[in-house]
Structure formats: structure tokens, C-alpha cells
Amino acid sequence: MKNLPQKVRSRKLNSRVDLTAMVSVSFLLIIFFMVVGELSKPKLLDLAMPERHCDEEFGRVINCGASIDNRLVTILLDQDDKIIMYSGLLFDPIGKAKEINYGQNGIRKELFSKKRAILEYSTSMGKPKNGPIVIIKPSKKSNFKNLVDILNEMAVAKIDTYVIVPEYTPEESKLLASN
């Protein structure tokens, strides 16, 4: 008999899987989802709304009432760094509308005095936390710097309740034209 070639058997090697990369990816995914979960939580803002009032003639309407009217301060921004400020509602203002300049002796001084007067009034009415409500109305001719300056003045005066309204009423347009 002829010598038959013997089959060469390969040795079986120990198979090991390196999981280092899998662990790194897992940690990155865990961190990613934790950050996304934290950033997607809703942020809450306080909303101050006037009390509702039932009126037979108009149905259910919102009534600002005297306590809100006394807290309203409207700032109109126009071209050439022009600021007009009035308190209350335009058809029934508290005092006259006046033109004010930017700066420490202008708008800042007025905001501090209005805030002080409104807080004194609110305290006398038994509501010590009710500060001013400022309505900022930039015109289409005013520049972005003026809006940023007014927002900075809100931060300096620590006025928490303010809103930016991009539209003027016809009466406010007449007021700007007259000043």
C-alpha cells in the first residue's frame, strides 16, 4: 500500500471578541441620550393675564381694570433714537406722553421712578408683587440697536414683565408724528 497523505488538521484557535469599541460606542450613546433628554425638557414661563370679566353686551371679554391700567407703561421707539413713553392706555393715559432720551438720566430714570410708583400703588392695594407691565413697540424705522438698548434698560431696572409688540395703532402713529 502506498502511503496516503495524511490530512493536516488545523489547530483550533481560541476565538475572542474585542468589545472595547462596543463599550466606547455604548457610553457615547448613553451620554448623547442623557443630554438630549435634558435639553428637551420644557421650560416654563410665568404669564400675567388680566382677570376675565363678563359683560352682557359683548359676551365674555377681557377687562384690564384699574389695577392693570395703572401698571401699564408703553414705550414707542422711532427713528433717530426717539423714545416716547406713556402710562396707562392711550385713550385714557395717566399723565401726558413724553419724549425721553436714552441713558442714565433719561429712560433709566423714568423706568426706576415708574417702577417705584407702581410698586407703592400695588402695595397699597394689597398686592406687593405686582410690578410694571411694559409694552415695547419699535417702529419699522427704528434700528435694532435701540431695541437692544431698551431690553438692557429692562434688565438694569429689573422689570420682569415686558412684551415687544411690532405693530402700532393709528393713534400711536399720530402721537409719534405729533412729537
Side-chain angles (χ1 to χ4, degrees):
M1 244 182 149
K2 267 187 165 181
N3 258 347
L4 291 174
Q6 291 186 346
K7 290 186 183 176
V8 178
R9 297 203 174 207
S10 61
R11 283 187 1 195
K12 290 190 178 181
L13 297 175
N14 291 337
S15 60
R16 290 181 60 188
V17 177
D18 188 15
L19 296 177
T20 307
M22 183 66 90
V23 170
S24 298
V25 169
S26 299
F27 279 122
L28 286 174
L29 285 172
I30 289 170
I31 292 170
F32 172 77
F33 285 116
M34 286 174 61
V35 169
V36 167
E38 189 64 32
L39 293 177
S40 66
K41 288 182 181 175
K43 307 292 185 245
L44 300 177
L45 296 175
D46 290 336
L47 179 63
M49 293 289 290
E51 296 177 12
R52 291 189 175 264
H53 176 72
C54 187
D55 191 341
E56 284 80 27
E57 183 180 351
F58 299 108
R60 194 141 174 95
V61 296
I62 293 178
N63 181 20
C64 288
S67 65
I68 299 290
D69 292 350
N70 291 332
R71 294 173 53 202
L72 286 178
V73 176
T74 303
I75 299 173
L76 306 174
L77 304 177
D78 202 16
Q79 64 186 0
D80 300 327
D81 298 336
K82 186 175 177 183
I83 303 174
I84 296 180
M85 180 176 177
Y86 64 90
S87 296
L89 301 172
L90 186 59
F91 60 85
D92 186 24
I94 301 169
K96 292 181 80 176
K98 54 184 167 182
E99 188 171 341
I100 302 172
N101 297 323
Y102 286 94
Q104 187 172 358
N105 293 325
I107 188 72
R108 185 176 301 167
K109 184 177 177 183
E110 284 293 322
L111 287 173
F112 276 121
S113 68
K114 291 283 184 191
K115 182 179 178 182
R116 187 176 336 105
I118 290 169
L119 286 174
E120 287 173 5
Y121 173 79
S122 293
T123 304
S124 70
M125 298 298 287
K127 299 179 180 179
K129 297 247 180 192
N130 289 344
I133 300 171
V134 179
I135 301 171
I136 303 168
K137 293 187 172 188
S139 72
K140 292 180 182 177
K141 297 176 184 176
S142 69
N143 59 29
F144 186 70
K145 179 188 177 301
N146 293 347
L147 181 62
V148 170
D149 289 343
I150 287 295
L151 293 177
N152 285 338
E153 294 297 336
M154 294 293 130
V156 168
K158 294 186 172 122
I159 295 176
D160 298 326
T161 308
Y162 60 89
V163 65
I164 300 170
V165 179
E167 300 162 358
Y168 277 16
T169 62
E171 293 82 13
E172 289 170 335
S173 297
K174 289 177 189 175
L175 178 66
L176 277 176
S178 69
N179 284 337

